[in-house]
Amino acid sequence: MIGVKTKAIKLHQALEIFYDVKVLCCVGIGIACGVINGGVSNFSSSLIKGYGFSGIYATLLQLPTGAIEAVIVPICGLISTYVRDSRCIVLAVVCLIPFGGLLGIRFTDIDHRWTLVGCTWLQYIIGAPVIISWNLLSTNVAGHTKRSFANGVWFTVYASGNVAGANIFFAREAPRYYSALTGLLVCYAGMIVLCAAAYMAMKWENLRRDRNMLSEETAERREEAAVLDGFKDMTDMESKHFRYAL
């Protein structure tokens, strides 16, 4: 139970997001997602033109990206939904695919332009990390004020990242944009590290709470107590019956 809606703003809940490891990790992932999305959505056409395609062909070669995203995002969503404690793992794995694509763009010879186009298409998988990160945050933060502030901070940094991402591609570096590629690689690497950190933090906390659970307390009673804590508008850090979904 992640809490009930209330009009009261509780300052201690809002401040809690600044020392909650998983929230900070999700915020960091949000920044990285924004930078990547801003860069890819604004400059994929320039990248493709740099491979030797021009005019209408460069535009047409962006059409498959929607199909790729339409397939990958639902698959990631289904796995995260039906496979227990898989969100962080799916998020990290799905970051490796475009990470490899960026390495391909960086090191593949310009003569292999179709390989470069394929590597560019992989960058549109960014939709999956965005959605999983948002889901990871919303399902693991309890307390109405805390959850509202956490979501607000996430969307703010994501929007800021989009603005920043559009400004790391320098015309003088066309057609490879080495500075931008390095920046995007750093973002993906950072997302993978933050996924691991969030996973370990939540896993450790779940284990700690399980150890401290009374011997006569069953899983069913714990879930009932967690629901009651939710109706009291307790945060996930305040409710010792709350368990994190990894």
Side-chain angles (χ1 to χ4, degrees):
M1 182 72 176
I2 58 175
V4 293
K5 186 175 182 179
T6 174
K7 294 182 179 179
I9 297 177
K10 300 179 180 179
L11 183 60
H12 74 280
Q13 288 194 11
L15 295 176
E16 195 173 287
I17 68 174
F18 295 106
Y19 55 87
D20 189 333
V21 174
K22 67 179 180 300
V23 173
L24 296 177
C25 287
C26 286
V27 168
I29 293 171
I31 296 173
C33 285
V35 171
I36 295 167
N37 187 66
V40 171
S41 60
N42 285 288
F43 286 91
S44 60
S45 178
S46 298
L47 282 170
I48 292 174
K49 287 180 180 178
Y51 306 150
F53 299 95
S54 60
I56 189 65
Y57 296 105
T59 302
L60 290 174
L61 285 173
Q62 295 180 68
L63 295 179
T65 59
I68 293 172
E69 193 167 9
V71 172
I72 296 297
V73 172
I75 290 175
C76 292
L78 289 171
I79 295 173
S80 300
T81 301
Y82 293 105
V83 179
R84 184 180 177 85
D85 292 341
S86 64
R87 291 178 177 88
C88 291
I89 296 173
V90 172
L91 180 51
V93 170
V94 81
C95 285
L96 290 173
I97 301 172
F99 184 87
L102 287 171
L103 291 177
I105 296 172
R106 176 64 177 80
F107 294 108
T108 301
D109 190 89
I110 198 71
D111 293 331
H112 302 284
R113 59 180 188 171
W114 285 106
T115 300
L116 292 168
V117 169
C119 291
T120 303
W121 286 347
L122 294 178
Q123 303 314 305
Y124 282 84
I125 297 176
I126 185 60
V130 170
I131 294 173
I132 297 173
S133 171
W134 185 23
N135 179 264
L136 192 66
L137 183 66
S138 62
T139 56
N140 287 299
V141 175
H144 181 70
T145 300
K146 181 181 180 181
R147 189 169 63 257
S148 298
F149 272 77
N151 286 333
V153 171
W154 191 95
F155 279 108
T156 299
V157 299
Y158 175 72
S160 301
N162 271 273
V163 175
N167 290 281
I168 62 174
F169 284 76
F170 305 112
R172 65 178 182 273
E173 296 182 343
R176 290 304 185 97
Y177 301 100
Y178 290 123
S179 296
L181 293 180
T182 301
L184 298 183
L185 284 167
V186 170
C187 285
Y188 274 119
M191 288 168 65
I192 294 170
V193 171
L194 290 172
C195 283
Y199 182 90
M200 289 187 290
M202 291 189 290
K203 183 71 173 179
W204 180 85
E205 184 61 22
N206 281 348
L207 292 173
R208 188 186 68 82
R209 293 182 181 187
D210 287 341
R211 286 195 299 268
N212 294 335
M213 190 170 63
L214 298 176
S215 58
E216 66 272 12
E217 188 177 12
T218 63
E220 184 177 347
R221 287 186 178 181
R222 178 183 61 76
E223 291 176 2
E224 292 175 355
V227 171
L228 292 176
D229 288 345
F231 279 111
K232 297 174 185 176
D233 196 32
M234 296 175 67
T235 69
D236 55 280
M237 296 180 74
E238 293 172 335
S239 173
K240 302 309 176 185
H241 302 100
F242 188 96
R243 294 297 183 272
Y244 297 106
L246 312 181

